[in-house]
Amino acid sequence: MKRLTKTFTAALVMMACAAGTASAQQLRVGLQEDPDVLDPHRARTYVGRIVFTSMCDKLVDLDPTLNIVPQLATSWQWNADSTVLTFKLRDDVTFHDGSHFDAAAAQANLQRAMTLPDSFRKTELSSIKSIEAPDATTLVLTLKQPDATLLSQLTDRAGMMLSPQSFAGDDVNAVGRNPVCAGPYKFVERVQNDRIVLDKFDKYYDAKAYHFNRLVFLPIPDTTVRLSNLRAGGLDILERLNPADVAEVKKDTRLTFANIAGLGYQELLFNHQNGDRAKANPFNDARVRRALDLSIDRDAINEVVGGGIFEPAGQAFPPASPFFDKKFAPGKRDVKAARALLKEAGQTEVKAELVFGNNTTTAAIAEMLQAMAAESGIQLSLRPTDYAAMLSQMRGGNFEVAMRGWSGRTDPDGNVYQFLSCKGSQNDGRYCNPEVDKLLDEARTVPDVARRKALYDKAQELLHKDAADVYLYYQPWPFALQKKVQGFVPYPDGMIRLKNVTFATK
Amino acid sequence: MFILILRRMLVAIPTLILVSMIVFSLQKLLPGDPVLTLAGEERDPAVLDYLRDKYRLNDPLPVQYFAWVKQVATGDLGRSLRTDVPVTTLIAQKLPVTLQLAAMAMFFALIVGIPMGILAAVKKGKPIEYGANIAALSGMSIPNFWLGIILIMVVSVQWRLLPASGYVSPSEDFWLSMKTMLMPALVLSTALAAYLMRHTRSAMLEALNADYVRTARAKGVSARGVILRHALRNALMPIVTLVTLLFGELLAGAVLTEQVFTIPGFGKLVVDAVFNRDYAVVQGVVLCVAVGFIVMNLLADVLYILVNPRLRHS
């Protein structure tokens, strides 16, 4: 028996050692979901973009304060009436298959993104009329009309460059199986629901700045298990830490906490005029919508559910954006004013249903909203729904008020147009105000930031008057890292950029 | 014997068709539009229409079903909507993972359940029997996900002994594979071990009271010989069939365990596919599991006949 105990202890110690050590040059990243298809033109998920960021360089990139900075393009220039955009490209870039990146390759990529039948980049690039490559390092985009959103689109998947050889064949799925890009890490393998492995690409033009030989992305949807893995040493970084765990991670001396307010938001969306349920919706009256807004204590939500990282929001643009305006900051909770508004609207007892995609965080928020609204006389019944079902219910108008999140876009247009313009593709409540439409349409074509902001300010004033929707908080991007991971900087777009990130040497 | 197997196989065909029809229609009853779910944050209506067309989602249900059957008849289970990977590839990737988990769980269940059952029967009325009964009761009633989380918290996070989750193939690194699979297999085996213990115990009690055991004892066979050679041999017969049948249950139980330990197996594949409304994957996996169940049932019948010669002539 004694000997058995001894052997057992020895085995345990050996296991412990093995569990603690991992290859020094390998970075393991815990993701909240398994990404979808790894083809930048057909991809749809936020989590997929995290993988692309290390694998596929884009024409231009973002810095932490949302300025557009060079990546594959070294510089760019607009013509006088903002209809021609000319890029100068790097000439020292090699794709992962060894072929050379030039303007013709960029042209082929943009053309693929604009013509592939199931390309989700088509709308993002819809303003482009023609693409030319007069020489190997010059790319000229001619637009149908001025488009202020185009450059920011090119900081994301629309600007990612695949080796033209990789999509030359007839098999559309070939790219997703083996994406060949021009980035610091090249694709090695993928096992669905399990892992995506990338290896360092030695011929990358800035290879010296990247310090890990191998990246392993591990989708672990359960937040508790994801954090347990980090704490057990099985992960080096995890994204989207559960807000309820923030305090615990901050306390843990072996971990680092990094958070940034993102570009997206959580909002309450009303059914203005989509289908039959809109007709009987008590929220058809702007005063009732404002009353709900006034009932909400966003600081309390931040404190109780958000672990201090749910920064209260009163508008679609995040504080990091130059289009953010303090004027539209959320007001303080005011139950008296809310009751007065309801009285004015002749509805002292409002009954409505709140639908939301069910998880522990959203459920906790919905319960708080229910309690806070009740004090003003708005009785919300809660309908927690599975995400897929909610999408189609909202689309079909089967809701009165819904809570939903948006991961956010760099360009302000991406945070408002599709939700609040009359024909917006995600305007499930069918809010429609022609004046707002005019302003939003015009803002799309004005590259000058100050002039553009004036247009958005006007639009925001109208939206606030209408109480078109109610913003709750800005979606944060909380990361937890092993202490040894050094040099990591969170970006408002939530991506993991590994340039100059290293393991501390002990 | 061969006629029996043949007859069972013929019966299996309508069962399979029925299963596939039920799953097909159940999926369509689920609220949610697969294309909207697939598109996530993107909503280009032209692309959505293209995808609906591509995956035949606009066709009437029977047309969709027959198109699917026609495809399956050629050995093609279609492609995952979400990742474009062929369903057959996914099954080939995930099935060994779940089989490994199930086999290890079965192994633990056998080495714990059967000796405990024997002991409980032999020491009837003694503290050992009560202890075994309590252990069995807790094994059956403790939820897998709770036990899983607790084990992760204690063994992986506190003691840092075993990896908290994931999967490593045994061909890649055998010991690491065993280590990652240890906790999930233990968790999955608890209910099974309890079940086996209870059945072994009652079968043993029955056998120990049988006439041949009394005769053996009277002949002066040692206690050990009576228990192991006479009683256990007869008691094991129903256990053998039970084990083959429970193996199917294990595959179902693996769904929860795989979720908790993030094991990329069959269960996780099908659960994720349901949430993503990835019809082709759900359909393919369920068909595959149904075939597995039918084969296991058939195997149980055959084994039973092999173990019990009395049945051969009836």
Side-chain angles (χ1 to χ4, degrees):
Chain A
M1 190 62 206
K2 212 170 179 183
R3 207 174 62 196
L4 199 72
T5 323
K6 251 190 190 163
T7 338
F8 189 61
T9 322
L12 284 185
V13 169
M14 271 166 63
M15 280 180 184
C17 293
T21 55
S23 161
Q25 291 91 13
Q26 173 175 301
L27 186 82
R28 294 154 305 172
V29 182
L31 304 175
Q32 176 154 306
E33 300 124 34
D34 194 30
D36 57 336
V37 61
L38 290 179
D39 175 342
H41 300 145
R42 297 162 69 217
R44 292 116 15 207
T45 56
Y46 162 77
V47 74
R49 288 164 57 205
I50 296 183
V51 177
F52 283 130
T53 297
S54 286
M55 187 164 66
C56 301
D57 267 15
K58 305 151 289 189
L59 285 177
V60 281
D61 198 13
L62 293 173
D63 72 4
T65 50
L66 297 181
N67 296 310
I68 292 172
V69 295
Q71 197 164 42
L72 292 173
T74 51
S75 65
W76 53 92
Q77 208 165 12
W78 288 97
N79 70 343
D81 66 348
S82 309
T83 50
V84 179
L85 177 60
T86 308
F87 287 101
K88 273 280 160 209
L89 306 178
R90 299 186 75 106
D91 61 357
D92 55 351
V93 178
T94 313
F95 286 113
H96 297 151
D97 61 4
S99 61
H100 190 69
F101 166 74
D102 57 14
Q107 185 187 26
N109 270 281
L110 290 173
Q111 259 153 9
R112 179 177 191 260
M114 290 167 65
T115 52
L116 204 65
D118 52 350
S119 160
F120 281 102
R121 307 287 88 78
K122 273 192 280 202
T123 36
E124 298 170 11
L125 300 172
S126 58
S127 62
I128 298 178
K129 189 162 77 185
S130 67
I131 310 157
E132 279 136 79
D135 63 66
T137 59
T138 311
L139 180 72
V140 182
L141 307 182
T142 309
L143 310 187
K144 295 172 194 155
Q145 71 273 339
D147 180 2
T149 71
L150 183 63
L151 260 182
S152 9
Q153 303 289 15
L154 297 174
T155 65
D156 198 350
R157 290 164 296 195
M160 288 177 185
M161 295 292 142
L162 293 158
S163 162
Q165 283 169 24
S166 70
F167 57 80
D170 290 334
D171 183 5
V172 222
N173 297 317
V175 173
R177 273 199 304 273
N178 182 23
V180 182
C181 287
Y185 291 91
K186 59 172 191 271
F187 179 81
V188 177
E189 65 158 343
R190 169 177 197 179
V191 181
Q192 193 166 331
N193 283 338
D194 182 23
R195 69 187 126 161
I196 294 171
V197 181
L198 309 182
D199 269 353
K200 189 173 171 180
F201 180 53
D202 291 326
K203 290 196 199 124
Y204 184 63
Y205 57 87
D206 198 12
K208 280 206 298 287
Y210 290 83
H211 300 281
F212 305 109
N213 287 339
R214 175 164 273 209
L215 307 183
V216 184
F217 294 92
L218 299 156
I220 306 176
D222 188 292
T223 49
T224 313
V225 177
R226 195 156 70 244
L227 180 58
S228 300
N229 264 286
L230 183 77
R231 298 174 74 194
L235 291 175
D236 301 305
I237 299 186
L238 66 79
E239 55 110 8
R240 277 179 280 177
L241 177 72
N242 185 2
D245 293 328
V246 168
E248 203 184 326
V249 169
K250 280 183 176 165
K251 260 195 316 211
D252 195 324
T253 51
R254 293 178 304 199
L255 304 181
T256 320
F257 173 68
N259 179 53
I260 190 157
L263 305 170
Y265 47 76
Q266 193 78 16
E267 67 164 344
L268 295 178
L269 172 101
F270 302 102
N271 189 352
H272 297 269
Q273 41 184 340
N274 184 2
D276 288 342
R277 285 197 79 176
K279 288 184 194 130
N281 192 352
F283 290 115
N284 268 341
D285 190 323
R287 288 168 295 194
V288 182
R289 298 197 289 269
R290 201 158 325 116
L292 178 62
D293 187 8
L294 283 167
S295 322
I296 300 169
D297 185 345
R298 293 173 172 82
D299 292 318
I301 294 178
N302 182 23
E303 228 165 274
V304 176
V305 188
I309 58 173
F310 283 1
E311 192 176 332
Q315 58 192 304
F317 309 134
S321 161
F323 300 93
F324 171 86
D325 200 297
K326 274 207 216 92
K327 267 202 298 260
F328 306 110
K332 281 262 169 286
R333 180 175 197 233
D334 191 340
V335 176
K336 236 193 229 159
R339 281 186 177 278
L341 272 171
L342 288 182
K343 207 168 164 191
E344 198 189 313
Q347 302 195 44
T348 37
E349 200 58 33
V350 178
K351 281 194 167 61
E353 189 186 55
L354 169 67
V355 60
F356 59 96
N358 193 20
N359 63 48
T360 44
T361 308
T362 52
I365 296 172
E367 280 160 18
M368 286 188 77
L369 289 174
Q370 186 182 38
M372 294 189 290
E375 285 177 37
S376 312
I378 303 174
Q379 305 297 334
L380 293 175
S381 55
L382 305 183
R383 179 154 57 101
T385 312
D386 127 276
Y387 176 71
M390 185 178 80
L391 279 180
S392 56
Q393 283 170 7
M394 286 177 65
R395 184 83 157 169
N398 182 12
F399 73 106
E400 286 167 341
V401 53
M403 178 162 69
R404 77 168 167 196
W406 173 241
S407 73
R409 296 291 176 266
T410 335
D411 192 83
D413 182 75
N415 275 10
V416 287
Y417 193 88
Q418 46 192 329
F419 303 103
L420 293 167
S421 66
C422 294
K423 289 193 173 152
S425 60
Q426 314 214 32
N427 185 353
D428 289 333
R430 304 266 167 86
Y431 170 78
C432 186
N433 180 343
E435 275 180 77
V436 172
D437 261 31
K438 233 175 76 197
L439 291 163
L440 293 181
D441 276 326
E442 197 185 339
R444 283 187 147 184
T445 62
V446 179
D448 180 70
V449 173
R451 274 182 52 216
R452 202 172 172 208
K453 178 164 185 297
L455 291 168
Y456 281 125
D457 282 355
K458 266 195 219 157
Q460 287 217 69
E461 249 156 55
L462 292 171
L463 289 169
H464 270 251
K465 215 175 94 201
D466 279 350
D469 53 3
V470 170
Y471 298 98
L472 296 174
Y473 60 86
Y474 294 111
Q475 200 87 58
W477 300 124
F479 297 92
L481 306 89
Q482 299 283 1
K483 194 123 255 170
K484 66 174 177 183
V485 179
Q486 308 257 304
F488 174 75
V489 180
Y491 281 61
D493 64 355
M495 296 297 111
I496 298 175
R497 290 176 174 80
L498 292 173
K499 191 170 176 176
N500 296 325
V501 178
T502 55
F503 283 148
T505 43
K506 281 177 204 148
Chain B
M1 179 93 176
F2 284 109
I3 292 171
L4 175 102
I5 294 178
L6 204 70
R7 209 191 306 148
R8 292 299 302 262
M9 270 159 72
L10 284 179
V11 173
I13 294 170
T15 314
L16 276 180
I17 294 176
L18 211 64
V19 165
S20 70
M21 279 170 97
I22 291 172
V23 174
F24 206 87
S25 18
L26 274 183
Q27 278 203 87
K28 305 288 167 176
L29 282 178
L30 271 185
D33 175 346
V35 168
L36 267 189
T37 314
L38 170 133
E41 289 200 330
E42 313 292 337
R43 285 280 179 87
D44 186 341
V47 180
L48 297 189
D49 285 345
Y50 168 82
L51 289 172
R52 274 201 194 95
D53 231 42
K54 182 175 164 189
Y55 294 110
R56 299 173 155 274
L57 294 166
N58 289 324
D59 292 349
L61 202 53
V63 177
Q64 288 187 43
Y65 179 71
F66 282 113
W68 179 77
V69 170
K70 222 169 104 188
Q71 203 182 17
V72 171
T74 65
D76 178 6
L77 290 178
R79 281 170 179 279
S80 157
L81 258 68
R82 188 171 157 89
T83 56
D84 280 333
V85 180
V87 176
T88 40
T89 313
L90 286 175
I91 290 177
Q93 260 175 10
K94 311 294 178 189
L95 189 58
V97 179
T98 300
L99 284 181
Q100 187 191 343
L101 175 65
M104 281 176 71
M106 183 55 87
F107 174 74
F108 290 137
L110 286 174
I111 59 166
V112 174
I114 290 181
M116 239 168 63
I118 298 171
L119 218 60
V122 174
K123 307 271 181 194
K124 190 172 178 324
K126 303 240 169 72
I128 282 198
E129 196 211 355
Y130 298 125
N133 277 337
I134 290 171
L137 194 63
S138 15
M140 269 188 243
S141 29
I142 290 177
N144 279 357
F145 57 88
W146 180 83
L147 186 63
I149 294 273
I150 294 295
L151 276 180
I152 292 178
M153 289 297 181
V154 175
V155 180
S156 304
V157 176
Q158 295 287 328
W159 298 345
R160 293 198 160 212
L161 290 178
L162 294 170
S165 70
Y167 175 73
V168 179
S169 149
S171 62
E172 199 178 315
D173 183 339
F174 184 78
W175 285 113
L176 193 60
S177 173
M178 291 295 131
K179 269 164 51 187
T180 35
M181 214 47 125
L182 186 62
M183 282 197 296
L186 274 178
V187 168
L188 184 56
S189 73
T190 48
L192 200 67
Y195 213 59
L196 278 179
M197 176 265 158
R198 295 203 134 195
H199 277 266
T200 313
R201 176 178 157 274
S202 58
M204 275 300 277
L205 281 178
E206 203 178 303
L208 284 173
N209 286 328
D211 291 343
Y212 57 86
V213 168
R214 197 181 44 211
T215 312
R217 282 212 176 107
K219 274 164 57 187
V221 179
S222 69
R224 175 186 289 238
V226 169
I227 292 165
L228 292 183
R229 237 178 307 137
H230 296 266
L232 183 62
R233 270 197 158 186
N234 281 289
L236 269 187
M237 256 193 288
I239 305 290
V240 170
T241 46
L242 184 70
V243 165
T244 42
L245 290 178
L246 282 180
F247 204 78
E249 302 271 314
L250 259 187
L251 291 183
V255 172
L256 257 185
T257 315
E258 285 179 7
Q259 287 293 326
V260 173
F261 288 97
T262 330
I263 297 168
F266 238 50
K268 207 169 147 27
L269 179 69
V270 75
V271 170
D272 287 357
V274 169
F275 280 121
N276 289 325
R277 304 293 188 270
D278 203 336
Y279 291 164
V281 175
V282 178
Q283 197 69 18
V285 171
V286 170
L287 188 74
C288 190
V289 171
V291 171
F293 258 89
I294 289 169
V295 170
M296 284 320 262
N297 271 306
L298 191 61
L299 203 67
D301 283 350
V302 173
L303 272 180
Y304 203 63
I305 294 170
L306 287 180
V307 180
N308 192 344
R310 276 170 296 185
L311 283 178
R312 271 178 222 170
H313 304 290
S314 58

